[in-house]
Amino acid sequence: MPRQNPAEMVDPSSDGAAEYVELGERSSPKLDKYQKVSVIPLVFLIFYEVSGGPFGIEDSVQAAGPLLALIGFLLVPFAWSVPEALITAELGTMFPENGGYVVWVSSALGPYWGFQQGWMKWLSGVIDNALYPVLFLDYLKSAIPELEGGLPRTTAVLALTVVLTYMSYRGLNIVGWVAIFLGVFSLLPFIFMGFVAVPRLDASRWLVMDISDVNWSLYLNTLFWNLNYWDSISTLAGEVENPSKTLPKSLFYALLLVIFGYFFPLLVGTGVVPLNRELWTDGYFSDIGQMLGGVWLRTWIQAAAALSNMGMFLAEMSSDSFQLEGMAIRGMLPELFAKRSPYGTPLVGILFSASGVILLSWMSFQEIVAAENFLYCFGMIMEFIAFVKLRIDHPAESRPYKIPLGTVGSIIMCIPPTVLILVVLAFASFKVMVISMVAIMIGLVLEPCLRYSERKGWFKYSIIADNHDYHSAYQ
């Protein structure tokens, strides 16, 4: 069965003539009828793609002590988050269409490697999203002991996944405004906690460090997990209002919000209570809140943590599903992944991603973080290669936002995050390595299988001009 031209698929009145556009002149097809996302909702969508608040950073203190934890969340963003956000701003505005990093890698390295990028990033995102319903219930089990395990917990995980998936189905603007509410609600208790803590702060507690007693694997995985996924917002660039201006601006504001949302609570928490590293596990901020403000502040922080997991689920689900839509538009997946619901959301992509979340929800917290970090690292290496290659091969192409560095400067900028990636990979356990390598090998085989299904006519695929042809972005 021949592929269907996406221009015909999205516009029945099309006369079939090929349309040639310069890079950056248009976003994904069939998007004008849907309401676009503006700056403020986009800032909080990015915030929830990356962070969601300080919930989950407590392990950094347990692993390395206060000083290294503070240094990590203050300096690592400049070595890792800033380069990733800058690359996302440049390539996201260069390719303002759904699919994001899949499109970048396809354009630089070819559609086969673009598919591998999409497979690894989608799988990493789904693994990540499997964590949030579980964490949501973990914060509620102190109030509802039945959620500790067994059938009630399994039922609650499934019900919560269904409810959040339905919210994703109802539209990206709803998700964006929900993210704003959840973001404000999640950060306010820590601002209040900071004011209450001022008389009790002891600056000497911030300087505690024992370099001989550092769990480097836990420390690095905690930092990496809490500071990555800046590129995820690129998968729905086609849904952004005026992406050439909105995307870079939103990434900048979100970067400030993320750094503040980590560093300030960590500064307050480590400065106000005597150090007992064993206590610094998930949920310890709520214990500190009770010490400072009583049960009501503890309850507020627990509620904020639970709702924050909802926000992260919604943001990740949106990114994953629109990525699959972008891949379908480019002919990498069957055309059915590009079908939109009446609310403008990719229905099949949402259902596919939700199914993956449910199937992976049995994994433990540590296994989820390590596995997604491992897969994410490989995807980021391909992004850095694509970024540099596009700079070298196509220096004159339109880039509405361009990092103010030349080719050599761009390569140098990619060195620190690449080193961090190699360190994270080196600290991965053997089990995580084996599981991740099996997942990667599945992707290497899956792409030829999809091409075979196309030749046999088992599924209908969209057709698009060769990804290497920069002046024929859409046929």
Side-chain angles (χ1 to χ4, degrees), residues 35 111 132 250 256 260 278 298 316 403 423 435 464 467:
Q35 188 176 358
Y132 301 128
S250 299
L256 298 179
F260 171 80
E278 295 304 314
R298 174 192 176 95
E316 186 66 55
I403 302 171
V423 171
I435 293 175
I464 194 165
N467 289 343

Side-chain angles (χ1 to χ4, degrees), residues 162-464:
V162 169
V163 170
L164 294 176
T165 299
Y166 178 73
M167 292 180 68
S168 299
Y169 164 76
R170 284 301 304 266
L172 195 58
N173 268 283
I174 290 178
V175 172
W177 288 107
V178 168
I180 293 173
F181 166 75
L182 295 178
V184 173
F185 182 81
S186 298
L187 290 176
L188 275 179
F190 294 97
I191 295 174
F192 180 83
M193 191 169 75
F195 284 114
V196 175
V198 170
R200 301 172 61 175
L201 288 175
D202 182 353
S204 65
R205 292 171 177 154
W206 297 329
L207 306 178
V208 177
M209 179 181 67
D210 183 359
I211 201 69
S212 64
D213 184 22
V214 176
N215 184 338
W216 291 106
S217 178
L218 179 60
Y219 176 65
L220 291 172
N221 270 313
T222 302
L223 287 175
F224 194 75
W225 179 61
N226 283 286
L227 290 168
N228 60 19
Y229 283 91
W230 292 94
D231 57 340
S232 293
I233 202 65
S234 68
T235 63
L236 41 87
E239 312 302 311
V240 175
E241 180 183 286
N242 191 10
S244 63
K245 295 184 181 298
T246 302
L247 188 58
K249 187 185 299 183
S250 299
L251 281 162
F252 174 72
Y253 293 146
L255 180 64
L256 298 179
L257 189 61
V258 167
I259 294 175
F260 171 80
Y262 285 148
F263 189 76
F264 182 75
L266 203 55
L267 195 69
V268 173
T270 55
V272 79
V273 296
L275 179 63
N276 184 341
R277 284 170 58 175
E278 295 304 314
L279 296 178
W280 280 87
T281 58
D282 289 334
Y284 189 53
F285 275 123
S286 62
D287 294 335
I288 297 174
Q290 182 169 354
M291 297 176 200
L292 294 174
V295 175
W296 71 270
L297 185 55
R298 174 192 176 95
T299 303
W300 188 1
I301 293 174
Q302 287 177 331
L307 293 177
S308 176
N309 284 292
M310 290 178 55
M312 288 187 282
F313 184 100
L314 292 170
E316 186 66 55
M317 177 65 74
S318 298
S319 174
D320 294 343
S321 58
F322 277 103
Q323 176 198 315
L324 296 180
E325 187 219 32
M327 293 176 70
I329 289 174
R330 288 206 156 227
M332 296 181 185
L333 293 175
E335 183 188 294
L336 60 91
F337 282 91
K339 300 297 184 183
R340 296 269 186 136
S341 73
Y343 303 102
T345 49
L347 176 59
V348 176
I350 289 174
L351 295 176
F352 207 71
S353 298
S355 300
V357 168
I358 293 171
L359 290 174
L360 292 167
S361 60
W362 56 269
M363 297 176 67
S364 71
F365 178 85
Q366 289 79 12
E367 288 174 332
I368 287 175
V369 171
E372 70 165 285
N373 281 350
F374 199 92
L375 292 170
Y376 189 83
C377 284
F378 277 98
M380 286 309 304
I381 289 173
M382 282 207 287
E383 279 185 33
F384 293 153
I385 294 172
F387 167 66
V388 172
K389 193 171 187 298
L390 289 169
R391 275 293 190 98
I392 294 173
D393 294 348
H394 304 278
E397 290 293 345
S398 172
R399 290 171 171 84
Y401 173 84
K402 184 175 182 180
I403 302 171
L405 296 171
T407 301
V408 174
S410 298
I411 294 173
I412 293 173
M413 184 188 72
C414 292
I415 291 176
T418 302
V419 171
L420 179 59
I421 284 173
L422 296 176
V423 171
V424 170
L425 291 175
F427 276 102
S429 69
F430 179 74
K431 178 182 178 181
V432 167
M433 285 185 183
V434 170
I435 293 175
S436 301
M437 293 308 298
V438 169
I440 291 171
M441 292 174 65
I442 291 173
L444 296 175
V445 175
L446 183 59
E447 198 276 344
C449 290
L450 288 171
R451 299 288 70 79
Y452 181 78
S453 74
E454 178 188 355
R455 291 193 297 272
K456 290 293 185 178
W458 295 342
F459 298 103
K460 182 184 291 187
Y461 286 77
S462 301
I463 187 169
I464 194 165

Side-chain angles (χ1 to χ4, degrees), residues 72-114:
F73 280 104
L74 185 62
L75 297 185
V76 171
F78 292 95
W80 171 256
S81 301
V82 170
E84 189 182 1
L86 288 172
I87 290 172
T88 300
E90 177 169 318
L91 297 183
T93 56
M94 187 179 180
F95 299 90
E97 59 182 281
N98 295 340
Y101 36 70
V102 177
V103 179
W104 311 343
V105 174
S106 297
S107 299
L109 305 177
Y112 178 82
W113 293 108

